[in-house]
Amino acid sequence: MDGSPNLAQAMVNMAYVLAALASISAAVFWFRADEAKRKAESAGKTPTLEWFSPAANATGIALGTAGLAFLASQFV
């Protein structure tokens, strides 16, 4: 890389931080989905998938961000 290596490394580090934040967000969504499922089951209702879609999306974003951060780190 012709630019400043410190800047490039800082950008890769920021990508890892974003991946960590996305994985925390995914964990919160999965926790909320599990809580909604347990509440529905305890009330005798059939659990719906309304909470699982955001959890799956957040998981995909976390994995994608981590993958891109790892790929970028190979070029720095």
Side-chain angles (χ1 to χ4, degrees), residues 61-73:
I61 291 169
L63 291 174
T65 306
L68 288 174
F70 175 75
L71 184 63
S73 71

Side-chain angles (χ1 to χ4, degrees), residues 18-32 54-55 58-59 61-62:
L18 290 175
L21 292 174
S23 64
I24 291 168
S25 174
V28 168
F29 275 117
W30 281 111
F31 177 76
R32 291 177 70 183
T59 302
I61 291 169

Side-chain angles (χ1 to χ4, degrees), residues 1-68:
M1 178 167 236
D2 293 343
S4 170
N6 291 335
L7 177 61
Q9 188 61 46
M11 292 171 68
V12 168
N13 290 344
M14 183 56 71
Y16 278 122
V17 168
L18 290 175
L21 292 174
S23 64
I24 291 168
S25 174
V28 168
F29 275 117
W30 281 111
F31 177 76
R32 291 177 70 183
D34 190 53
E35 280 295 311
K37 179 184 170 211
R38 288 177 194 231
K39 284 182 182 179
E41 287 175 343
S42 67
K45 298 179 182 175
T46 303
T48 61
L49 296 177
E50 68 183 82
W51 283 101
F52 289 98
S53 180
N57 289 341
T59 302
I61 291 169
L63 291 174
T65 306
L68 288 174

